[in-house]
């Protein structure tokens, strides 16, 4: 069963530029993961400190692979999450 999620990050204002520099490598490596269907990163037009990620994986195993990957641990867990004021993960399913 596919796993689809929306992740919302509110970055500390002083850290936004540094976090934005990490995103190209994160996106590139994530898109190459086995089981990744799509991975898109958005920045809010009204709040540049707000980042939205839309992720789709083939199944729960592919999502687990992503969360345990070396690049996720090095970039997201070690460098991005400590710079966040808020992190919200919402699992979604497409209705239409």
């Amino acid at each position: 069963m596919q796993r689809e999620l929306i992740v919302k990050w509110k970055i500390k204002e002083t850290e936004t530029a540094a976090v934005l520099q990490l995103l190209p490598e994160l996106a590139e490596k994530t898109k190459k993961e086995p089981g990744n269907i799509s991975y898109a990163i958005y920045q809010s037009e009204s709040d540049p400190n707000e980042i939205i990620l839309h992720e789709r994986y083939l199944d729960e195993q592919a999502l687990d692979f992503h969360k345990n990957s070396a690049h996720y641990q090095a970039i997201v867990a070690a460098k991005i999450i400590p710079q966040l004021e808020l992190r919200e993960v919402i699992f979604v399913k497409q209705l239409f």
Side-chain angles (χ1 to χ4, degrees):
M1 182 174 144
Q2 285 190 14
R3 298 297 284 158
E4 187 166 358
L5 55 150
I6 305 292
V7 180
K8 180 178 176 180
W9 292 341
K10 176 72 172 182
I11 307 167
K12 297 173 189 172
E13 190 171 337
T14 58
E15 302 302 326
T16 298
V19 169
L20 291 177
Q21 290 181 351
L22 299 169
L23 298 180
E25 179 183 0
L26 174 63
E28 177 185 344
K29 290 183 176 180
T30 299
K31 289 176 182 180
K32 293 178 181 176
E33 292 173 1
N36 177 270
I37 296 169
S38 66
Y39 190 83
I41 302 175
Y42 304 91
Q43 185 176 35
S44 170
E45 290 185 0
S46 61
D47 182 354
N49 304 314
E50 187 174 273
I51 301 295
I52 306 292
L53 296 88
H54 181 200
E55 309 177 35
R56 289 181 62 208
Y57 299 92
L58 187 60
D59 54 26
E60 192 71 35
Q61 288 178 312
L63 176 58
D64 288 342
F65 180 89
H66 170 66
K67 291 187 289 189
N68 293 304
S69 68
H71 60 271
Y72 180 92
Q73 293 300 316
I75 298 171
V76 178
K79 296 179 182 175
I80 294 178
I81 290 176
Q83 307 311 324
L84 302 181
E85 293 178 1
L86 170 74
R87 178 174 175 256
E88 184 177 3
V89 178
I90 305 165
F91 286 90
V92 297
K93 61 181 177 182
Q94 186 172 350
L95 296 178
F96 305 99

